[in-house]
Amino acid sequence: MPDLPPRSAFPDTRAWLRALPSLPGDPAVDPGQIPTQPSVLFLRWLEEAVAAGEPNPQTTVLSTATSTGDVDARVLTLKDVDEHGWWFSGATDSPKGRQLAENPAAALTFHWPGRGRQVRVRGRVEAGSAEISARDYLERSATARAVAAASRQSEPLTDEAEYDRAVAAAGARIEADPDFVARGWQAWCLVPDSVEFWLADPGRRHQRWRYRRAAPTGWSTETLWP
Ligand SMILES: Cc1cc2nc3c(=O)[nH]c(=O)nc-3n(C[C@H](O)[C@H](O)[C@H](O)COP(=O)(O)O)c2cc1C
């Protein structure tokens, strides 16, 4: 945004935020032409986001909740999309891992701002097999594997040197045994019961469609008020 004056040129943060450009848009889409499977449209939009040069188009926000309804959300990396659903991974003993264990209801939110597009995937999360989780872990870089093996993720870090020692020890272990898989590394699959696509219109006549699971293998679609 090279032409926008700095925040200090505005009377307050509210005025600056309102001045920021928002919502580019794509040509309208004929809802009659959308694919019958939401994963097909999702992958098409993801490919278009990649082609448009969106930064980190494979990142998403995972929203979770505890069994008592306290909500949480964080950015994650999408690992796969297949006939089961949308895959991501992390540590079972992290807050997200504990929340998913006690309440598998979750949502993924993708935002590709350059195209003015959002996708919301809602459903229940299932833990992937040990084989799938190991494959996911082993596909990570050696450094990422060492950090994942050493980390007590989201616990307070009181001693930076302890972190460095733990990562170094995990790195040495991985070097000695390249097939080592960290205990507690988990691939999860969000099995959707609804997938919503949102497309910006500069004139604010945004388009929204929601797929809802209609039968074990089928989907119904509906247009939503923007
Ligand atoms: C771009 C980006 C990608 C990330 N990818 C992952 C990921 O794939 N898995 C993961 O566990 N954390 C990932 N993180 C870190 C999470 O946002 C979060 O800090 C961490 O998982 C701890 O979350 P929790 O305390 O809710 O469990 C990513 C963060 C960013 C900004």
Side-chain angles (χ1 to χ4, degrees), residues 2-226:
D3 297 334
L4 191 76
R7 185 164 69 96
S8 57
F10 291 85
D12 54 29
T13 302
R14 200 172 60 85
W16 173 65
L17 288 172
R18 282 203 63 77
L20 295 177
S22 66
L23 295 180
D26 274 342
V29 171
D30 176 359
Q33 298 298 313
I34 61 174
T36 51
Q37 294 286 329
S39 59
V40 172
L41 185 56
F42 174 83
L43 289 172
R44 185 186 298 168
W45 278 25
L46 180 56
E47 281 186 62
E48 290 172 358
V50 172
E54 293 272 11
N56 294 328
Q58 75 281 34
T59 55
T60 180
V61 174
L62 168 71
S63 301
T64 51
T66 64
S67 55
T68 52
D70 292 318
V71 297
D72 205 350
R74 77 291 288 155
V75 174
L76 291 183
T77 307
L78 178 71
K79 293 301 185 70
D80 199 5
V81 180
D82 66 12
E83 65 280 9
H84 298 298
W86 276 248
W87 289 85
F88 56 92
S89 58
T92 50
D93 58 359
S94 64
K96 80 184 94 44
R98 289 191 289 274
Q99 290 155 13
L100 289 170
E102 64 181 78
N103 179 4
L108 292 173
T109 307
F110 295 84
H111 180 212
W112 297 301
R115 305 296 301 263
R117 290 175 173 183
Q118 172 185 241
V119 179
R120 302 164 69 182
V121 187
R122 302 184 185 101
R124 297 177 79 75
V125 168
E126 294 178 0
S129 67
E131 289 73 24
I132 292 173
S133 300
R135 185 186 66 190
D136 179 89
Y137 181 79
L138 293 170
E139 284 173 353
R140 295 164 64 86
S141 70
T143 308
R145 275 179 280 153
V147 169
S151 182
R152 305 203 296 265
Q153 195 173 51
S154 303
E155 287 182 20
L157 174 63
T158 51
D159 180 357
E160 299 277 349
E162 188 190 355
Y163 171 83
D164 292 338
R165 279 194 301 274
V167 173
R173 179 160 190 190
I174 286 163
E175 211 176 309
D177 177 9
D179 294 330
F180 167 77
V181 176
R183 189 182 53 79
W185 188 259
Q186 183 66 55
W188 287 284
C189 183
L190 178 58
V191 181
D193 43 50
S194 81
V195 186
E196 185 203 312
F197 293 81
W198 190 101
L199 179 62
D201 173 62
R204 302 276 160 170
R205 205 185 189 298
H206 311 311
Q207 287 184 288
R208 297 173 67 191
W209 315 276
R210 182 168 59 201
Y211 289 77
R212 285 209 278 199
R213 205 179 278 281
T217 56
W219 294 89
S220 65
T221 57
E222 57 198 348
T223 302
L224 304 179
W225 279 62

